[in-house]
Amino acid sequence: MARRSDDAEQLLLPYPTTRRQRLEHLAHRAGGIARRVLRFVLRWLARILLPLLCAAALLQAFPYQATVQGVPFEVQGSLFTRPGLTADTTLGSWEFPDVSGVPFGVHVRPEDVDVLELTRLAGRDLPGFVEELRVDFAAEVPRIAWWLVAELVVGLAVGLAIAIALEMAVRHLRGRPRREHEVRQRLLQFGAAALVTLVVAAYGVLSYNENWVRESRLTGTLAAAQLFPGQLSSYYTEQSKAFDVLGSVVGIQAALQADIDDERTPDTAVRIMTISDMHLAATYPLVAQYAANYDVDLIVNAGDESAFGTSAEFTPEYRQAIADLAATTPMVWVAGNHDSPATVAIMRGIPGVTVLGTKTAVEDGFAVGAGVVEAFGLTIAGLPDPRVYGGPGAYGADAPDVVDPLQRAAVREALGMDDDEDGATDGGAADGENGGDGGAADGGAEGDPAGVDLFVLHEPAAADEVRELLPGQVRQTVSGHTHRQNASDELQDDDAAIELVEGTTGAGGLDNIVRGTERPPIAFSIESVSADCQFTRIVRFSIESAGPAADLGTDPATPQAYGDDVTVSTVYFRPQDVAEGRRCDTDLGVGAERPWADAG
């Protein structure tokens, strides 16, 4: 009985007898669990973050320093903040962002460079100097790599040691006894950290992009020099009196850039410049100068020439600027959503401009038709935007949920697609049976899976529909409308098809005022086509607008008129599936535009 009494008393002690006591008991237990979880999370955060912070700090504090061909420089590693490989020069930066998937970066920076001394060292043998510079720097690479790896490992170890010391100090302050097998436990922690480091390093090796050197980005004056190679003298005379010095530095950079264009990249047979969304801006002198400096053979214009679509907007000066450009460099043009049938008629009347497709007013809106032209061996198709600024209903809308269905329906109708049979067309342009001299689908290209080399549209949604309806039959689409270029990693998909969305070459015009957005940069690109009709690379330019050229009182064909903040990105394309026997050459000329349905 006594034992039963004792048992009864013991059974009553752990359990609260009232509802309030039970709730307090549960809250106490929950708080204890939360504290243990918080301590666990903080402990592991310290174990992870402190090593990373120490490694990052060590990489920043102790850069590798050396001198190559009289040029003192330092190499600094980084974690998370600046991945990839970047290099500063006296005139701008040169960036290679896609080296691997690990957020580890290496930054090369010259120290107190004497550009006069650098010019003297380069002398007249610029190629020889560049080669010696490249060889000597390559000899430093193993030492640089060991230095950075050692800093990374030491930083991780120091950070982990600090984390362990903090944990032991907290344990001591709380009056807890020393753990059994303390040394073994700490060795296990170091081993786990080493294992994680090896896993991350292995991921870096597996994600290494062997073509990282073939996708670069230039900023600053280096980019401006790329943009205006024929105008360096006047540009730097105004900016600085040391043109001979700066010209030599730019020449060194250009020679290093050319070294990337090795034997893996075929020679260029045709150069295509893409522009879009001019919006009546006075930037055609800029386009003309760029086309002349880079020997552009063809200009592809994705539309929105106008602001409101009226004939009165096209002043004689503006028409003459287009005519002057088209007189030396032929242009292919499609109408955008700001271009009315009147705009189409004006553009069709300018010599040298080939308008692709038709745009006519109908009872409830506008009807559009696709067109095709053979240019320098490439089959180029185009389809206008069915909208017009201020048009009725969906034809004047801008909301995607209204516009996208209209765009897709217009594409299907223009291509003659059956509603129940994707990929079938009434015309022959997309099935590889076009006629034309040296075209993508002529007899010399029999069996070519791409019946159209380049399809020009204004709205990206329409370009998406074209690729869906003609899978494997369009090698590249070009569109605009968004006033910003698509990202470099969006240019080419897994099937090697290219999707180019060009920014506004007119910097938005009145359209950006209506949208209430900041003025975007002036954007355009130049694309290289090899003799076998492969699209090999694209160089994309972006100029942050300083203001309208008229306000600056400068020549609109010079970089000063548009601002000096220039960015140049270079992307090399993977080979596309092009039939043997294709030939692209400027000698083939530009043919006459014909309707899509008559292209077979």
Side-chain angles (χ1 to χ4, degrees):
M1 292 297 293
R3 186 171 57 187
R4 285 198 300 271
S5 176
D6 292 341
D7 290 342
E9 291 178 1
Q10 291 175 6
L11 287 174
L12 291 173
L13 287 176
Y15 298 99
T17 57
T18 67
R19 179 183 179 87
R20 178 178 178 179
Q21 289 176 328
R22 286 195 297 270
L23 290 175
E24 291 176 349
H25 177 72
L26 290 175
H28 180 73
R29 292 189 60 185
I33 295 173
R35 285 191 295 271
R36 287 194 294 271
V37 170
L38 181 61
R39 285 197 297 268
F40 178 82
V41 171
L42 290 176
R43 187 163 55 246
W44 278 102
L45 278 177
R47 291 173 180 174
I48 295 172
L49 291 181
L50 280 174
L52 290 176
L53 291 174
C54 285
L58 209 61
L59 289 168
Q60 290 287 315
F62 300 101
Y64 181 90
Q65 296 180 326
T67 300
V68 175
Q69 288 295 308
V71 180
F73 67 91
E74 66 177 25
V75 181
Q76 195 171 57
S78 64
L79 281 177
F80 302 106
T81 57
R82 201 169 185 175
L85 175 64
T86 58
D88 282 342
T89 74
T90 55
L91 301 177
S93 64
W94 198 7
E95 303 173 2
F96 299 89
D98 298 321
V99 178
S100 78
V102 176
F104 178 78
V106 178
H107 181 63
V108 182
R109 180 172 60 202
E111 290 186 299
D112 301 322
V113 174
D114 185 344
V115 290
L116 291 172
E117 178 66 14
L118 182 61
T119 304
R120 187 189 67 77
L121 291 172
R124 295 186 178 275
D125 185 18
L126 186 59
F129 179 78
V130 169
E131 179 61 21
E132 292 177 1
L133 187 67
R134 185 188 65 79
V135 170
D136 288 357
F137 188 83
E140 291 284 341
V141 168
R143 290 187 285 272
I144 293 172
W146 279 113
W147 179 273
L148 296 178
V149 169
E151 284 188 314
L152 184 64
V153 172
V154 170
L156 292 173
V158 170
L160 187 58
I162 294 175
I164 292 173
L166 287 175
E167 183 181 348
M168 294 178 67
V170 169
R171 191 176 183 87
H172 175 74
L173 291 173
R174 295 180 65 192
R176 293 195 171 189
R178 183 177 178 179
R179 292 172 177 172
E180 295 183 7
H181 311 296
E182 183 77 32
V183 175
R184 186 175 67 180
Q185 188 173 19
R186 300 311 176 189
L187 288 176
L188 287 175
Q189 289 181 2
F190 271 106
L195 180 61
V196 171
T197 302
L198 289 175
V199 170
V200 172
Y203 173 71
V205 172
L206 293 175
S207 63
Y208 174 73
N209 176 18
E210 62 181 9
N211 292 318
W212 64 267
V213 76
R214 297 167 66 80
E215 182 173 327
S216 63
R217 181 173 179 265
L218 290 172
T219 61
T221 307
L222 282 179
Q226 289 268 328
L227 183 60
F228 297 95
Q231 294 184 303
L232 285 175
S233 180
S234 61
Y235 178 66
Y236 288 124
T237 296
E238 296 186 22
Q239 300 294 324
S240 170
K241 298 301 181 183
F243 162 67
D244 55 338
V245 176
L246 298 177
S248 296
V249 176
V250 170
I252 292 171
Q253 182 277 327
L256 290 170
Q257 178 81 57
D259 193 50
I260 296 175
D261 298 335
D262 56 15
E263 65 277 0
R264 292 181 295 172
T265 303
D267 292 337
T268 298
V270 178
R271 291 180 178 87
I272 301 173
M273 178 183 177
T274 57
I275 64 177
S276 185
D277 296 82
M278 296 296 290
H279 288 295
L280 301 173
T283 52
Y284 267 115
L286 173 76
V287 174
Q289 185 64 64
Y290 177 83
N293 286 346
Y294 279 87
D295 297 324
V296 172
D297 303 301
L298 179 69
I299 292 175
V300 172
N301 189 335
D304 264 8
E305 200 71 36
S306 177
F308 304 106
T310 63
S311 301
E313 299 172 64
F314 287 82
T315 64
E317 293 79 13
Y318 189 80
R319 296 193 199 195
Q320 189 59 50
I322 302 175
D324 291 343
L325 173 62
T328 57
T329 309
M331 178 187 297
V332 172
W333 183 87
V334 297
N337 64 301
H338 281 251
D339 300 317
S340 66
T343 305
V344 174
I346 291 172
M347 295 299 292
R348 203 181 292 276
I350 298 177
V353 176
T354 299
V355 175
L356 292 180
T358 59
K359 190 170 190 175
T360 56
V362 294
E363 183 177 354
D364 60 345
F366 299 90
V368 292
V372 182
V373 67
E374 304 296 331
F376 305 135
L378 297 170
T379 298
I380 302 177
L383 176 65
D385 193 305
R387 296 173 294 160
V388 171
Y389 189 84
Y395 291 92
D398 205 30
D401 59 338
V402 177
V403 172
D404 289 1
L406 176 65
Q407 295 286 346
R408 295 183 181 277
V411 170
R412 295 187 69 90
E413 183 176 355
L415 300 187
M417 307 297 287
D418 297 328
D419 289 340
D420 58 349
E421 187 176 355
D422 287 357
T425 66
D426 295 337
D431 56 16
E433 298 176 359
N434 300 14
D437 296 335
D442 65 5
E446 184 176 356
D448 194 338
V452 175
D453 294 297
L454 197 152
F455 210 121
V456 190
L457 307 106
H458 180 68
E459 169 70 59
D464 292 341
E465 184 72 2
V466 164
R467 288 190 298 274
E468 290 179 15
L469 296 179
L470 304 175
Q473 300 176 64
V474 178
R475 277 205 292 147
Q476 180 179 175
T477 59
V478 176
S479 59
H481 182 66
T482 61
H483 291 189
R484 62 180 181 272
Q485 296 173 325
N486 58 339
S488 295
D489 57 4
E490 298 174 348
L491 283 173
Q492 195 170 29
D493 62 19
D494 294 337
D495 296 327
I498 300 168
E499 177 188 1
L500 173 62
V501 180
E502 191 55 81
T504 167
T505 314
L510 292 175
D511 195 41
N512 271 82
I513 297 177
V514 173
R515 296 182 185 187
T517 58
E518 293 183 2
R519 186 174 186 178
I522 295 170
F524 43 91
S525 304
I526 182 168
E527 188 170 17
S528 298
V529 183
S530 63
D532 61 356
C533 298
Q534 289 277 354
F535 297 114
T536 57
R537 75 167 186 171
I538 190 167
V539 182
R540 312 185 80 185
F541 294 91
S542 176
I543 310 174
E544 290 291 342
S545 303
D551 294 345
L552 299 178
T554 55
D555 182 353
T558 62
Q560 299 95 316
Y562 303 96
D564 299 334
D565 189 0
V566 184
T567 300
V568 181
S569 300
T570 303
V571 177
Y572 289 80
F573 295 127
R574 301 190 308 278
Q576 307 96 59
D577 192 3
V578 177
E580 294 184 5
R582 290 290 304 276
R583 183 171 75 91
C584 284
D585 195 288
T586 53
D587 293 339
L588 297 174
V590 180
E593 189 257 358
R594 59 194 186 279
W596 175 271
D598 297 341

